[in-house]
């Protein structure tokens, strides 16, 4: 038998003091938002891009022109300056059928333009979706113009749209 000089140590249970904190409720003062529709703008813009083949610049241009009613080339070009360079954006929108002549150019009178019935209908739908008057259709239900299969981003948008439409 081996003799040891160390005695086995007894471990005594110790009481640990735990400090209790008083939990104060967090008070947040926030003004109530009357119309909180801009948080859905990305989803609605994706719908417009997918359904009508609009680029982001075209969509934003339509948003601006929708409130202008009639405009001339100078007004169009002034707002067009904040976008990337595209030669003849006005002509491109006219070829897509989104802008039409309100008054054709005549001697001594310049041309005046307006949004077409198609563009006004698109913007009316956009406003109805943003204000919650109309549910946002899922992107996978829309037949794409280029006949390509739906991608991962489309499925992600569909999930978000499904959550948004539960409020209806």
């Amino acid at each position: 038998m081996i003799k040891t000089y160390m005695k086995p140590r007894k471990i005594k249970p110790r009481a640990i003091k735990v400090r209790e904190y008083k939990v104060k409720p967090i008070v947040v003062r926030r003004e109530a938002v009357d119309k909180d529709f801009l948080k859905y703008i990305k989803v609605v813009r994706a719908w417009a891009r997918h359904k009508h083949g609009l680029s982001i610049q075209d969509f934003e241009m339509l948003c601006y022109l929708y409130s202008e009613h009639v405009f001339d080339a100078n007004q169009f070009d002034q707002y067009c300056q904040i976008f990337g360079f595209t030669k003849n954006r006005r002509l491109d929108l006219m070829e897509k059928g989104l802008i039409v002549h309100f008054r054709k150019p005549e001697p001594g009178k310049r041309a005046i333009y307006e949004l077409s019935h198609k563009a006004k209908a698109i913007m009316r739908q956009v406003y109805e979706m943003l204000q919650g008057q109309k549910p946002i259709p899922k992107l996978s239900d829309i037949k794409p113009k280029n006949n390509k299969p739906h991608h991962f981003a489309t499925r992600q948008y569909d999930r978000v749209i499904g959550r948004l439409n539960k409020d209806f």
Side-chain angles (χ1 to χ4, degrees), residues 28-56:
V28 178
R29 295 177 191 222
R30 181 176 181 224
E31 293 182 29
V33 180
D34 294 334
K35 294 184 180 183
D36 193 18
F37 53 83
L38 285 180
K39 65 182 179 180
Y40 303 132
I41 190 71
K42 185 169 178 68
V43 177
V44 173
R45 188 173 61 198
W47 168 82
R49 185 189 73 229
H50 199 76
K51 170 96 179 186
H52 300 287
L54 297 175
S55 67
I56 293 173

Side-chain angles (χ1 to χ4, degrees), residues 46 49-50 137-142 144 148-162:
R49 185 189 73 229
H50 199 76
K138 290 190 173 186
L139 300 184
S140 59
D141 296 340
I142 300 168
K148 289 185 179 178
H150 296 294
H151 295 287
F152 177 72
T154 305
R155 292 192 301 269
Q156 292 298 91
Y157 274 109
D158 283 348
R159 288 182 191 149
V160 172
I161 290 170

Side-chain angles (χ1 to χ4, degrees), residues 4-166:
T4 61
Y5 295 101
M6 296 179 59
K7 293 182 184 178
R9 194 172 112 189
K10 291 183 182 178
I11 300 175
K12 296 180 186 178
R14 286 192 289 173
I16 300 173
K17 260 188 173 177
V18 178
R19 184 173 176 188
E20 293 181 17
Y21 295 96
K22 293 181 182 178
V23 179
K24 294 181 183 178
I26 299 172
V27 179
V28 178
R29 295 177 191 222
R30 181 176 181 224
E31 293 182 29
V33 180
D34 294 334
K35 294 184 180 183
D36 193 18
F37 53 83
L38 285 180
K39 65 182 179 180
Y40 303 132
I41 190 71
K42 185 169 178 68
V43 177
V44 173
R45 188 173 61 198
W47 168 82
R49 185 189 73 229
H50 199 76
K51 170 96 179 186
H52 300 287
L54 297 175
S55 67
I56 293 173
Q57 288 95 2
D58 292 345
F59 178 78
E60 291 176 353
M61 183 60 78
L62 291 181
C63 290
Y64 171 73
L65 296 175
Y66 186 65
S67 63
E68 290 294 312
H69 304 295
V70 293
F71 53 92
D72 62 357
N74 292 335
Q75 289 173 315
F76 185 89
D77 293 338
Q78 284 175 358
Y79 192 70
C80 216
Q81 289 175 355
I82 62 173
F83 296 118
F85 178 74
T86 301
K87 190 174 182 180
N88 297 327
R89 184 181 303 274
R90 186 176 63 248
L91 295 176
D92 291 342
L93 291 175
M94 289 181 82
E95 287 175 5
K96 290 179 183 178
L98 299 173
I99 294 178
V100 294
H101 277 101
F102 181 77
R103 179 180 73 194
K104 293 196 176 192
E106 298 173 2
K109 294 182 181 178
R110 60 183 166 202
I112 296 178
Y113 305 94
E114 70 174 341
L115 291 182
S116 67
H117 179 70
K118 175 183 172 182
K120 289 178 185 177
I122 292 170
M123 293 311 299
R124 200 173 308 115
Q125 287 177 331
V126 165
Y127 275 94
E128 287 172 355
M129 288 181 212
L130 287 175
Q131 292 173 353
Q133 299 170 356
K134 182 179 177 182
I136 303 168
K138 290 190 173 186
L139 300 184
S140 59
D141 296 340
I142 300 168
K143 183 179 178 186
K145 290 189 171 200
N146 52 11
N147 293 328
K148 289 185 179 178
H150 296 294
H151 295 287
F152 177 72
T154 305
R155 292 192 301 269
Q156 292 298 91
Y157 274 109
D158 283 348
R159 288 182 191 149
V160 172
I161 290 170
R163 284 188 295 243
L164 296 178
N165 286 337
K166 284 183 181 178

